[in-house]
Amino acid sequence: GAIGSGPYTIKSVSSGLSTIVLVKNPNYWVNGHASQIPAIAQPAHIPEIVIKYGLSHTDRLEDFDDNTSQISEVGPSSFKQIISGFYDKSEANGNLVKSYKVLGAFYISMNTQRSYTKNLHFRVAFYDSLNYAEELTIYNNNYNGTPEAYLELGPLSPQYGKAYYNPDSFPLPKQNITAAIQNLTIAGDECHFYVVLPNGTKIGDKSGTDLSSHTFTITGTSPPTALESEQVTIAIDSFDSIGLKFTAAYVTEGVVGSWNTAAETPHFVDLAWEPDFSDPVGQQLMAMYDIVDGGIGNKAWVDNSTLQHYFNFLDFINTTEQVNYMKNVSKIVYEQYAYIWLPVPYAYYFVQPYIHDFQYNTFMGYFYNLMYISYNGSSNNSFYTMHNLNYNTLNDLISCNVIAATKFFQIF
């Protein structure tokens, strides 16, 4: 809604934006009429929200475990530590975690307009060589081993249903070194290069350029998180298995936003695209494959004439007509091999057991106004009364590494 019309208003903002305090809005237009409006618009139940940004890893662990904070976030490798250290041992289990699938696509793009990556077989070789299973394991939490991410066949998300997401039932990407070498051999013959495999075998045009002596670069955003660095390392090791050398480079968001032509965009980019609102065609499919969005969402600079024909009208017809076209569109998109699809991380939060009605929305995050505090049993002898905390206040201690590049963010 308009500024100042929501269930909360800003009470204070600290220097550097490290702490923001929200208070219940006494003039919220719904006050006194809550029963007549949708639940999502109801007035605040918790009078004050304290949000702290940029906390250290240690602070996030300790503040949640000693009940100083009510909502927090740590990486998968710290799940066991934060759960085992929780002050109420009867509640120290996986129920503390609220985990949600998000919409979007995480990827390594391959520039379809530049040398080598312009060749389809060259791109397929990389698509087939990545160790997807290992990529997923970096998101395994160390509490029960469950990955806090999922594999998808982008650019659409499975939440949109079978009519939109992979209607042809193409297989999820899977490492296939044999197929990768076969495609790299064809690419070498077509582009006049050869590659020396780790076992010493030469493939491709043996009278051409030795591509094994060339070092390619995967470019991501700076500063990389630990998970992002591990993700890129797995990719580099995977590509090394087909005789191609890579290094990693990281640039600022401003540099990413300056890639206005295919020539300026690196061959390989580690990034993601997440939609602003729920529109599978306009916000995900076209955003990543329409040449009009080249360099914005379309980091691979895909420019397919048949897709461009569909994009002239696909987002302006009704759902029934869209679905009729999706099988053709999906097949063409799949055959581009313009992106190597990476695991999509879940949005997840640690939430105290006495915080109820925690609701997540992939576009908005979670809603403060819906949450309320309620204890099981008597609060006089409950663990929840530790430290004499004021439970009319929600101390929301969230420390996120947010990498914003055009339409991209990752929370690790």
Side-chain angles (χ1 to χ4, degrees), residues 332-350:
I332 297 169
V333 167
Y334 181 81
E335 292 174 346
Q336 300 304 300
Y337 289 96
Y339 299 89
I340 303 169
W341 305 116
L342 299 173
V344 180
Y346 289 126
Y348 59 86
Y349 307 91
F350 279 83

Side-chain angles (χ1 to χ4, degrees), residues 67-175:
N67 201 22
T68 299
S69 68
Q70 284 68 57
I71 302 172
S72 196
E73 186 177 359
V74 297
S77 63
S78 296
F79 271 40
K80 185 175 182 178
Q81 184 179 359
I82 195 171
I83 292 173
S84 63
F86 192 60
Y87 60 89
D88 184 352
K89 298 307 177 186
S90 69
E91 299 277 6
N93 56 55
N95 292 331
L96 293 171
V97 185
K98 308 295 184 184
S99 189
Y100 308 90
K101 277 189 174 181
V102 300
L103 294 173
F106 284 62
Y107 58 76
I108 296 175
S109 63
M110 294 178 282
N111 194 325
T112 61
Q113 304 299 319
R114 295 189 64 177
S115 61
Y116 297 122
T117 46
K118 187 175 184 177
N119 181 275
L120 175 63
H121 292 287
F122 192 72
R123 299 197 301 271
V124 176
F126 287 103
Y127 188 94
D128 286 337
S129 65
L130 185 68
N131 191 333
Y132 297 93
E134 191 175 359
E135 289 283 4
L136 191 58
T137 63
I138 68 174
Y139 295 98
N140 286 354
N141 74 61
N142 63 358
Y143 172 69
N144 60 13
T146 303
E148 298 300 322
Y150 66 98
L151 280 173
E152 70 174 17
L153 191 72
L156 298 182
S157 300
Q159 293 93 312
Y160 289 119
K162 186 68 175 177
Y164 285 95
Y165 174 71
N166 194 15
D168 291 298
S169 298
F170 291 121
L172 284 173
K174 184 179 181 180
Q175 187 179 44

Side-chain angles (χ1 to χ4, degrees), residues 6-8 22 24 28 30 34 37-47 49 71 100 351 354-361 364-374 394:
Y8 284 96
L22 307 178
K24 184 176 181 178
Y28 184 35
V30 168
I37 52 90
I40 202 69
Q42 63 186 272
H45 301 292
I46 300 172
I49 305 287
I71 302 172
Y100 308 90
V351 181
Y354 53 85
I355 300 296
H356 302 281
D357 213 8
F358 182 95
Q359 295 188 30
Y360 175 82
N361 178 279
M364 302 296 294
Y366 52 90
F367 298 90
Y368 290 120
N369 63 313
L370 298 183
M371 292 187 286
Y372 65 93
I373 293 171
S374 177
L394 180 69

